Amino acid sequence: MIRHLLVIVGMLVISLSLLIWLCRTVDPSTKYGSEVEYNYARYCAGCHGGNGQGGGRIGRFKRFDPADFTTLEFWDKHSDEQMAHSVASGKDDMPAFKFYLNDEKQQELLAFIKETFRPTLMDVE
Ligand code: HEC
C-alpha cells in the first residue's frame, strides 16, 4: 500500500517539474536575453538570419535577397530614417511591420540591429 503511494507521489513530482520546465522553455525571457532579441528572432531572423547576413530559413532563397547588415556598404548607403521607413512600410519582399509592431518596438529592433551587426572600423582593419 505504502509503495503505491510512493509511486503516485513520485509521478506527481515528475509531472510537476516537467510542467515547470516546459513553462520556462517557452518563456521568451528565459530563452532570449531580452524582449528585443526575441522580437528579432520572431519577426526578422526568418529572412535576415540570426547573424544578420540574410541567410534565414526564408531569406536564403535568392528571390528574396534580404539586406546584409554586416557589410560596411550597407551602413554607408542607408540612413536611419530610410531604414525606419522601410521597416514600417515594407520594401520589395519585406512586409510592412507597422501592422505587427508599434513604433517603439520597430525603433528598438533597428537599434538592436545596428548594435549587433554593424561592423566597426576595428573589425575591418
Ligand atoms: C520576408 C522577409 C523579411 C523579413 C521577415 C524581414 N525583412 Fe528586412 N528586408 C527584406 C528584404 C528582401 C530586404 C531588401 C529590400 C531591398 O533592399 O530591396 C530587407 C531590407 C531591410 C532593411 C534595409 C531597408 C532599406 O531601406 O533598404 C532593414 C533595416 C530591414 N530589412 C530590417 C528588418 C527588420 C527590423 C525586420 C523585422 C522586424 C525585417 N527586416 C524582417 C526581407 C525581410
Side-chain angles (χ1 to χ4, degrees), residues 70-109:
T70 64
T71 64
L72 275 180
E73 291 89 317
F74 175 81
W75 294 99
D76 279 347
K77 281 198 208 126
H78 295 76
S79 70
D80 287 352
E81 298 76 48
Q82 190 212 324
M83 293 200 292
H85 180 263
S86 303
V87 172
S89 308
K91 185 177 179 194
D92 296 339
D93 286 321
M94 180 159 72
F97 281 100
K98 65 182 169 210
F99 302 116
Y100 308 99
L101 298 159
N102 64 26
D103 281 351
E104 194 191 331
K105 297 234 161 75
Q106 293 173 33
Q107 285 302 328
E108 276 174 14
L109 278 164

